[in-house]
Amino acid sequence: MRKWQRRGALLWGSLTLVGITKCRSSKPPHIVVHLADDFGWHAVGWRNPEFFTPHIDALKASGLLLTNHYVYQYCSPTRSSLMSGRLPLHVNQQNGPWGVDLRMTMLPQKLAAAGYVSHLAGKWHCGMMTSGHLPVARGFNTSLGYLSGECDHYTQMEGGHVDLWDTKVPAYGKNGTYGGFQYSARAVEVVEQHAAKNGDAPLFLYVPWQNTHSPLFEVPAKWIDPRITWPERQTAGGMTTALDSGISNVTAALNRTGMLDTTLILFSADNGGPSWWNGMACHMNNYPLRGGKFTDFQGGVRVVAFLAGGALPMHLRGQEYAGYIHVADWYFTFQSIAGLAAGDWADKPVGVPPTDSINVWPSVVANTTSPRIEMALSSWSIIVDGWKLITNHHNIPADRTNFGLWTGPIWPNKGDVGMIHDVPCPPVGCLFNLNSDPFEKVDLSAQCPSKVAELMQKLIAANSTYFQPGGSPGSEYLGPYTKCLPQSNRTAMNGNFLSPMCTLH
C-alpha cells in the first residue's frame, strides 16, 4: 500500500468482503451512475500500475467489465445521449447552452413512474438556456453542480462568473471547495438521507464527476504521487486518485446504510482522455487505442465502463461482456430494470427525432450478442457489425495532424517517447474491421469499396433525421420559458452566478 495514499486506501475498508454478497431483491434496485470526465482508457490501476485506483479496481473486479461501451467524442453530447436515449446526432453534438431539447423526456422523469427518487451531484452540461433546462426541471428532485462544461475545481469560477447551482437557485456560499470533495459529500448526504427518510423508494443517483477534466494542475497535494515526475502525467494520476476516493466514499455510504446489496452501479467515462491538442501532448492516455478526445477513433469513443453492486446477478461478477453498448442504451435498459412496461419506455414528442435506445439487459445477463449492431457515433462516423467508417476524424485537415496518433504505455513524457504518428485517411474516410483490428492500424477503404459504400448509406440514413437543439430554424424551442434576458444580465441579477437566460413568462 502506498504510504502517501494510506488514508484514501483505508476508506475502502471491508467493502470487498461485505455488501455485495446477498441475494437480489425483487424490488427495483437503486441505480448509481458514476460518469468520469475526460477519463483515459489507460487511467485505471488494472491497466496502468502507475495510476492508483484501488476502489475503482475493486468495483470492477467484483463487477462486469463492459469492453465495448461507446460514447461521444466529447462532453455534453454523451450526457445528453444518456439522459435522452438518443444518439448524439439526434439530440446534441454541441457543447453549447441548448443541451437536450425541452420536448424530450429525460431518464429521471421516466424512472419516476417506477417510484424512483432522483438526485444529481456534479457536472450537468445538458443545457442551461432556460430555467426549464435545469436538472430540477428535468426530473431530479435535487441537484448540486455546475451547468457548463468546465470551471475552476477550487473556486467554481468560469469566465469571471461562479458556476454552481443548488437545485432551484444559485449555490450561494457553497463555492470555494474542491469540486471532487463537494460532489462526493453531496452524494454521500443523498444516500444517507434517502436511507433515513425514503423507506423502500428506489434511488437514482447520478454523479457526473468533474475529475479528470481541465483546468489542469488542480488537485489537492495529498493525491499527488511524487514518484511520477512528468507534470501532466502526475496531475492526471492525482486527479484520478481523487476521483477514486470520491467513488469510495459513495460506495461506503451505500454499504453503511445497507443499500449496496440492492444497488446497480454503472461506471463510465464520458469520452476518451485528451491525449493530443493544438500540437501538444495532453495529460491523459488511451493506450493502446488510437486517438483520444475530439476524435471518433477508438481512443475517443470506446471508454472504460463496468457494472457493479449487489443488484448485479452473481454469475456476472468478475466477468466481461463484449457486446456493443452505446451510452444511449441505458435509457431503455434502466427502465427495463426498474420494471417499467416496454411500451412506455420511449417518449413520443412532436418535432424531434424518436429515441434510439435499445434494452441491452437481457443480452448482458445471458452473455449473448448485443442487439446494438449498428450505431452512428456522430454525423461523420458509424459502426455496423464490427465494421467502422470514419469520414471526418479531425485528421483530414492539415492542421489536425496527430489527432489519430497512438501513444505508448507511459504518456505524456519527455520527447513524446512511444508515440506513433497517424497516417491521414483518404478523402473517402477510413474503414476498419474492429473484430480483427481493434487498434485501427489498417485502413481497408481501398480494399473494400463495397463495404465503404454500405456503411456510407447507413450513415446517410442516420443523418436523414439529424437534429440539433438551437442549431436550425424551429429547433430553438423555449416552451413556456420565453422571458429572456442577455446572460450577463441574468448573471448580474443572481450575484454573479452563471444563470439561464430565459425563465417562465
Side-chain angles (χ1 to χ4, degrees), residues 328-345:
D329 295 330
W330 296 111
Y331 187 83
F332 276 8
T333 302
F334 284 156
Q335 291 187 66
S336 169
I337 293 170
L340 294 171
D344 296 328
W345 295 345

Side-chain angles (χ1 to χ4, degrees), residues 22 38 80 89 105 110 170 175 205 212 265 274 280 326 370 384 394 398 401 423 427 440 452 469 478 503:
K22 298 180 181 179
D38 282 6
S80 300
L89 82 168
T105 304
K110 285 290 191 178
N175 61 302
L205 174 59
T212 55
I265 299 170
M280 298 178 61
H326 191 276
S370 171
V384 180
H394 300 281
T401 302
V423 178
E440 298 171 305
V452 171
L478 296 173
T503 59

Side-chain angles (χ1 to χ4, degrees), residues 80-147:
S80 300
S81 190
L82 170 65
M83 288 290 119
S84 72
R86 289 167 172 82
L87 297 171
L89 82 168
H90 293 149
V91 56
N92 177 23
Q93 291 187 150
Q94 312 163 54
N95 269 341
W98 287 94
V100 178
D101 190 282
L102 293 174
R103 290 166 288 190
M104 298 179 183
T105 304
M106 281 202 175
L107 178 59
Q109 293 170 301
K110 285 290 191 178
L111 292 176
Y116 278 78
V117 180
S118 298
H119 302 270
L120 178 147
K123 175 178 176 177
W124 178 231
H125 214 195
C126 281
M128 57 174 294
M129 177 59 67
T130 76
S131 55
H133 284 89
L134 295 174
V136 68
R138 309 306 297 263
F140 288 97
N141 297 75
T142 69
S143 65
L144 176 67
Y146 58 112
L147 304 179

Side-chain angles (χ1 to χ4, degrees), residues 18-25 254 258-263 309-311:
V18 300
I20 56 172
T21 59
K22 298 180 181 179
C23 296
R24 295 184 66 202
S25 170
L254 291 166
M259 294 171 59
L260 186 58
D261 291 327
T262 53
T263 296

